Amino acid sequence: MADGADAAPANPSLMILEPLGVSQAADFLASVSFDELWSIAGAKLRGWGSDEVQVRQEFLGHHRDLRGFYGRVAAAGHAVVKAVWA
């Protein structure tokens, strides 16, 4: 639940992803290729930097980190608390 454009950066909305949702996120991240995601969202993300290769590599690193994080948390049966800025 994002607060919108007037959300205070120091006070983001919090979201709880229950263990089932964590497992679903882990399964999704394990099954989807980064290239597939990049082909869908890459055009919007390219504007984050001047070097497209560098931006792609940065997001590839984030994807790997998220895949590992959600895999470990799902295996442990834990929930995730997410801060949402919008």
Side-chain angles (χ1 to χ4, degrees):
M1 294 197 243
D3 292 322
D6 59 344
N11 190 23
S13 294
L14 298 179
M15 230 175 100
I16 297 175
L17 190 58
E18 299 291 338
L20 177 60
V22 172
S23 290
Q24 291 169 337
D27 290 346
F28 170 76
L29 289 168
S31 68
V32 68
S33 75
F34 176 78
D35 291 333
E36 185 178 349
L37 294 174
W38 187 256
S39 71
I40 295 166
K44 293 179 183 177
L45 301 174
R46 287 181 185 109
W48 286 37
S50 58
D51 183 359
E52 180 179 334
V53 173
Q54 180 181 355
V55 171
R56 187 181 187 286
Q57 285 302 112
E58 184 175 338
F59 278 94
L60 176 59
H62 294 320
H63 178 72
R64 286 182 186 141
D65 292 346
L66 283 171
R67 181 181 277 183
F69 172 77
Y70 277 96
R72 289 187 305 276
V73 174
H78 293 298
V80 170
V81 177
K82 297 168 56 172
V84 180
W85 293 270

